[in-house]
Amino acid sequence: LRDPWLGTVTLFVAMKGQRLHRLAYSPCCATRIHRIPGLGSSKDPSSTSTATQSFLLLSGPNPDRMTATAIALFHAPPARPVPCVGGEVVPLSSAIRCAIPPVLKGPAHEDVVMHAMNKKCIICRDSNSRVVFTEFGIDVLRCQNCGHIFSSYRADQYYDGYFGEEVGSGDHFWSHQAKARMYADFSDRFVAGRAGRLLDVGCGLGYFVKTVSSFPDWQVVGYEISKAAVEFAQTKLGLKNVFCGRVEESTFPRGYFDIITLWDVMEHIPDPDPLLSYLSTIVKDHGMLFVHTPNVQIQLPKARFVRLVRGMNPQLHYLEAKHHINIYSMNTISKVLRRNGFNTIDFTHLHPIQSFSGSRSRLLKLAKNGLYYVSEVLFTVSFGRINTDNLFVVARK
């Protein structure tokens, strides 16, 4: 392969069972490429070409499910395909443009990373960490200084692709029916019988906004970064109070909202400080910030258990390391909230999402609700020290 973009370099990839061109439309799934020490000057057995660098591809993607064995870079095409036991060798063509340009830009004697790795803890800003879980090539790290758990995947601070380019007209079970009881619990406890203004940040398809909008004494606003989700909320649910954009760029007056909610948002944000510091200015002095996010104290053991019992399967849920960048505990989420002006932190319990990993099984739903009641008891008898539920956080200034 002689490509102007590649210069005179030829790239051959040893794969197991699948072709690398799939990587072209899923470039983020393969995470790390390491140089194989000692092979940089070895002769290719199939020709007189010299392999200038050799690499080992460590991760297999989802949904492509590929497992690569080795990559070698040659100055000239070998006379015959590079042998690969148990696999095939695929010459790479134009897919290299969008799939793995970092390979050719990296230093000759250093690891080459296909996605930039995040190794800095957002709680204490320390970079000393160790791996506690690996999910399809993405390391999940524990800060050695403060104990915060976070993904090494360097996600976009304002990623807007969770809902794709268009939201279909299905029943949206996970966003609607599965969360309806949780939203009803919240409304009964914090909204019913009161009046005020509520802002839902990262409102997704808008079902929570619709729930609270049914209370006539509340002015409700939803903000969502995904254009597709906002279009669904506005056209399918008829919500004219849902807006597209970054809420930090809005022009709400100081102390404007009585309640601000973050449902399943905090775990997706690489650096929560810009958002939280802004929200602290637009919530009233006696207002409330409500956060719902996974609890690492239960999520990490659950992921390890699923891996032990079922292995690593792209169809199963573990820690969702590509999307859940920060996985908080009661301690770490309290720290990040306090430094952004929320000085009173309490934890409560609402009925959980009425589904287990998207399943509609009544048995799994019953089991999940049983665990919820056990969590409430443990939380009460431990005086709030043991929390095996998701984190439902009530933060006030």
Side-chain angles (χ1 to χ4, degrees):
L1 170 66
R2 291 183 180 273
D3 190 297
W5 190 81
L6 298 177
T8 59
V9 175
T10 298
L11 182 65
F12 285 83
V13 184
M15 304 298 298
K16 286 183 179 178
Q18 303 217 20
R19 295 181 180 274
L20 189 63
H21 67 258
R22 288 196 174 194
L23 203 58
Y25 64 77
S26 186
C28 296
C29 49
T31 51
R32 219 181 303 170
I33 296 181
H34 284 273
R35 185 173 179 272
I36 304 173
L39 295 184
S41 60
S42 62
K43 292 286 184 177
D44 168 39
S46 62
S47 74
T48 60
S49 301
T50 300
T52 57
Q53 290 185 24
S54 297
F55 298 90
L56 176 66
L57 185 59
L58 296 181
S59 61
N62 175 18
D64 300 272
R65 306 183 194 177
M66 297 182 294
T67 303
T69 54
I71 296 176
L73 297 180
F74 297 92
H75 280 303
R80 56 188 175 83
V82 181
C84 173
V85 178
E88 61 177 331
V89 175
V90 183
L92 196 61
S93 58
S94 59
I96 188 69
R97 293 180 182 2
C98 59
I100 49 175
V103 170
L104 301 174
K105 296 180 181 179
H109 300 291
E110 296 180 4
D111 290 348
V112 182
V113 182
M114 292 191 65
H115 71 76
M117 291 185 66
N118 170 41
K119 292 188 176 182
K120 181 175 286 189
C121 171
I122 56 97
I123 303 297
C124 66
R125 307 301 179 183
D126 196 279
S127 297
N128 184 23
S129 60
R130 67 180 180 87
V131 177
V132 294
F133 194 83
T134 300
E135 183 172 322
F136 303 112
I138 302 175
D139 290 337
V140 177
L141 309 174
R142 182 193 300 275
C143 175
Q144 295 287 71
N145 183 47
C146 71
H148 179 55
I149 305 293
F150 60 99
S151 172
S152 65
Y153 187 82
R154 191 181 294 276
D156 185 350
Q157 177 80 358
Y158 300 104
Y159 178 67
D160 61 357
Y162 293 112
F163 295 95
E165 296 183 359
E166 183 179 0
V167 179
S169 57
D171 64 1
H172 302 288
F173 171 75
W174 180 259
S175 297
H176 185 200
Q177 296 96 321
K179 295 183 178 180
R181 189 173 185 181
M182 184 172 65
Y183 292 162
D185 271 8
F186 178 92
S187 300
D188 290 343
R189 189 174 305 182
F190 300 110
V191 175
R194 299 177 175 88
R197 300 188 187 98
L198 182 147
L199 170 65
D200 185 26
V201 179
C203 65
L205 300 183
Y207 285 106
F208 176 70
V209 172
K210 184 176 182 180
T211 297
V212 184
S213 295
S214 65
F215 292 85
D217 294 328
W218 282 85
Q219 299 176 36
V220 185
V221 178
Y223 249 85
E224 169 58 45
I225 201 169
S226 166
K227 293 180 181 179
V230 171
E231 183 178 358
F232 177 89
Q234 292 176 345
T235 60
K236 302 297 183 182
L237 300 186
L239 298 174
K240 304 306 178 185
N241 51 344
V242 170
F243 302 95
C244 186
R246 303 174 185 177
V247 71
E248 302 96 314
E249 299 175 353
S250 65
T251 56
F252 294 116
R254 294 180 67 89
Y256 188 71
F257 290 100
D258 298 273
I259 299 176
I260 299 177
T261 55
L262 292 166
W263 294 96
D264 304 304
V265 172
M266 283 283 287
E267 63 270 23
H268 295 277
I269 305 175
D271 183 359
D273 286 336
L275 173 63
L276 292 175
S277 63
Y278 173 74
L279 297 182
S280 70
T281 67
I282 61 173
V283 69
K284 292 181 178 180
D285 287 341
H286 300 289
M288 177 184 80
L289 174 69
F290 182 88
V291 177
H292 173 250
T293 191
N295 180 0
V296 71
Q297 301 298 333
I298 188 64
Q299 294 298 325
L300 182 56
K302 184 178 76 172
R304 287 170 168 169
F305 176 77
V306 173
R307 181 179 62 182
L308 178 66
V309 175
R310 302 284 300 276
M312 296 303 292
N313 184 337
Q315 304 303 317
L316 300 178
H317 292 269
Y318 301 91
L319 293 176
E320 300 186 47
K322 188 178 172 183
H323 300 295
H324 291 186
I325 307 304
N326 290 294
I327 316 172
Y328 297 95
S329 65
M330 289 194 297
N331 179 47
T332 57
I333 201 167
S334 296
K335 287 181 178 179
V336 77
L337 287 168
R338 285 195 178 98
R339 75 181 182 210
N340 284 286
F342 297 96
N343 298 310
T344 303
I345 313 294
D346 296 302
F347 295 89
T348 188
H349 297 271
L350 303 179
H351 276 90
I353 298 172
Q354 299 296 295
S355 171
F356 192 88
S357 299
S359 170
R360 301 188 187 220
S361 166
R362 292 185 178 181
L363 182 61
L364 291 176
K365 174 181 169 181
L366 182 65
K368 191 170 185 179
N369 282 284
L371 292 173
Y372 156 71
Y373 291 114
V374 171
S375 296
E376 275 201 308
V377 171
L378 287 174
F379 190 78
T380 301
V381 300
S382 69
F383 300 99
R385 289 191 293 269
I386 300 176
N387 190 351
T388 58
D389 194 3
N390 276 347
L391 298 180
F392 295 92
V393 191
V394 177
R396 303 179 189 275
K397 294 199 290 186

